[in-house]
Amino acid sequence: MSDLLIKSCDAILTMDDSRRELFGADIRVRDGVIIEIGEALEGTGEVVSAMGCVVTPGLVNSHHHLFQSLTRAVPGAQNALLFGWLKTLYPIWSKFGPEEMFVSAQIGLAELALSGCTLTSDHLYLYPNGSRLDDTIDAAGDVGLRFHPTRGAMSIGESDGGLPPDALVEREADILNDAIRVIDAHHDPNDGAMVRVGVAPCSPFSVSRELMRDAAILARDKGIMMHTHLAENDEDIAYCLKKFGCRPGQYAEDLGWIGSDVWHAHCVKLDMKEINLFAQTRTGVVHCPCSNCRLGSGIAPVRQMRDAGVPVGLGVDGSASNDTSNLMAEARQAMLLQRVSRGADAMSAREALEIATRGGAEVLGRSDCGQISVGKRADIALWDVTGIDSAGSWDSSALLLAGPTKVRDLFVEGRQVVRDWQITTIDLPRVIERQAALALELAF
């Protein structure tokens, strides 16, 4: 791979260990790695001018359900709380097959890329009609994003007291065997990996305690990370108390679901005892502010988590509970929710952006990503601040206060995925056309 030189950046928000902000500097990349940062650098390969741009690390999305990109704004689910929302959508999702999984992932990944995201996780927990996790991995390979898919699962259907319909649950032995297959086929533990795989039973109300425990044993045997939903809303807490006789934090601790190799989505309803447990064990949390607002779940105590030392990342969640996959807009929402709940000084624009970059990389166990620093991977976003969305700003680096939510240029492993606000890796209009056809079939 030839050199890449990003020249004359108006500002670079490095998110490095010193949180440096550089002005007028250049970034030199070789073989997907940042090898030099400084002024008046020379390069032998491609040169990209970043004049008029604020440059950040690529954003990191730590929680998504990409398959939901085909079921946005479904009328029956628009005004429902979490459990009612799920019951409305389960019958539609049961019609999905490999093509729906592939196309929905392409849509969601492209939208993420256009919002500056270079690394995303995905939580796929249902596999109807021959669908496989491989369908989404193939889509990520086409779009060109760094990908951390998780082999999700549901094993307790309605007839056994669970929430999902019986047709969407799997035998637990089959779940574990397929997880082993996917890990062996796709997981790359090395720095710079484009694909890492996680294990992710869906939630306390859709899998057994035995599967949670067995999944943790499998994950640690394979040296991979673990992910699930936890403490998303009041219904979630009530279910745990009734079914298991404990709060979600205790449930997670009892089953081995704490530690630096674990990250939990939402955690809106954690209490201070649970927050301290997660801080002490370096258990990660993914904040999904728009989805939490959309479903009326509440405001996660992110300020308290950060102050206690809990690793916190940012996630857009599924497109059926967010309706978009714009990670920059998600970061702004995270900032605003902490301010509305705890005061205008509760979270700065820079701290929210840090959660969306370095924070997410830490939650996903990616010390090689999330910052612009020599030796880190060349996942880099260029934000044009010469347009109307930044006009009048006295601090162009405060992107979440006044700045674009669509990236001008995006590099993943030094490869350009977005150029001049357009995806370069796939024929996006054609994908959108196919998505429309599939959505029409699902509606009837």
Side-chain angles (χ1 to χ4, degrees), residues 356-374:
T357 52
R358 185 184 176 112
E362 180 182 3
V363 162
L364 295 180
R366 295 302 300 253
S367 60
D368 56 338
C369 300
Q371 54 183 293
I372 296 176
S373 181
V374 172

Side-chain angles (χ1 to χ4, degrees), residues 3 47 60 88 118 129 145 151 166 169 174 190 193 206 209 216 238 250 260 302 311 319 328 360 381 385 389 433:
D3 283 8
V47 177
V60 179
T88 299
T118 52
N129 307 310
L145 292 198
R151 207 305 180 177
D166 291 347
V169 303
D174 295 339
N190 298 303
S206 59
R209 291 173 66 95
Q250 184 66 56
S260 60
V302 174
S319 293
M328 197 59 144
V385 291
D389 29 26
E433 182 180 352

Side-chain angles (χ1 to χ4, degrees), residues 170-186:
E170 302 173 88
R171 292 178 61 249
E172 294 188 351
D174 295 339
I175 291 166
L176 294 170
N177 286 333
D178 191 57
I180 292 169
R181 178 194 67 81
V182 173
I183 295 163
D184 290 347
H186 297 288

Side-chain angles (χ1 to χ4, degrees), residues 32-314:
V33 177
I34 298 169
I35 63 170
E36 191 176 7
I37 303 170
E39 296 182 8
L41 300 183
E42 298 294 333
T44 58
E46 181 183 5
V47 177
V48 174
S49 173
M51 289 184 66
C53 292
V54 172
V55 179
T56 70
L59 308 188
V60 179
N61 180 46
S62 309
H63 183 65
H64 208 325
H65 306 293
L66 287 167
F67 73 92
Q68 294 180 10
S69 299
L70 292 186
T71 51
R72 303 188 198 199
V74 172
Q78 287 181 14
N79 304 312
L81 298 176
L82 175 63
F83 283 16
W85 173 86
L86 284 168
K87 283 184 170 293
T88 299
L89 292 167
Y90 281 143
I92 302 173
W93 295 337
S94 69
K95 300 177 185 179
F96 278 38
E99 186 176 14
E100 285 79 7
M101 295 298 185
F102 177 79
V103 172
S104 62
Q106 282 192 311
I107 291 289
L109 290 161
E111 191 172 18
L112 283 170
L114 290 169
S115 75
C117 177
T118 52
L119 164 61
T120 183
S121 68
D122 184 45
H123 188 184
L124 181 56
Y125 53 80
L126 46 81
Y127 297 86
N129 307 310
S131 303
R132 303 195 307 167
L133 192 63
D134 312 61
D135 303 324
T136 62
I137 294 172
D138 290 344
D142 285 353
V143 176
L145 292 198
R146 209 179 292 279
F147 198 38
H148 199 136
T150 59
R151 207 305 180 177
M154 299 190 295
S155 64
I156 299 180
E158 287 178 307
S159 63
D160 292 321
L163 193 70
D166 291 347
L168 282 179
V169 303
E170 302 173 88
R171 292 178 61 249
E172 294 188 351
D174 295 339
I175 291 166
L176 294 170
N177 286 333
D178 191 57
I180 292 169
R181 178 194 67 81
V182 173
I183 295 163
D184 290 347
H186 297 288
H187 180 70
D188 181 356
N190 298 303
D191 278 1
M194 291 301 293
V195 178
R196 288 189 183 172
V197 177
V199 172
C202 184
S203 61
F205 51 81
S206 59
V207 300
S208 71
R209 291 173 66 95
E210 290 73 24
L211 181 60
M212 291 292 290
R213 187 178 291 111
D214 290 345
I217 292 169
L218 171 62
R220 289 181 173 130
D221 178 65
K222 291 286 190 179
I224 65 171
M225 296 194 69
M226 304 145 56
H227 183 49
T228 192
H229 297 91
L230 201 76
E232 185 168 354
N233 68 0
D234 290 332
E235 291 175 288
D236 208 343
I237 302 297
Y239 185 92
C240 274
L241 290 171
K242 180 179 179 181
K243 186 76 173 179
F244 308 121
C246 63
R247 285 187 55 86
Q250 184 66 56
Y251 171 85
E253 185 177 23
D254 289 348
L255 297 176
W257 276 75
I258 57 173
S260 60
D261 56 352
V262 181
W263 84 103
H264 294 289
H266 302 298
C267 295
V268 174
K269 299 297 181 177
L270 292 188
D271 62 20
M272 279 310 302
K273 182 179 178 181
E274 292 165 322
I275 289 172
N276 289 330
L277 170 67
F278 282 19
Q280 292 160 10
T281 57
R282 303 300 294 168
T283 303
V285 168
V286 185
H287 179 38
C288 303
C290 289
S291 176
N292 296 157
C293 289
R294 165 79 152 74
L295 295 175
S297 299
I299 302 173
V302 174
R303 181 71 276 149
Q304 296 96 313
M305 292 183 199
R306 294 267 297 175
D307 290 346
V310 177
V312 178
L314 190 67

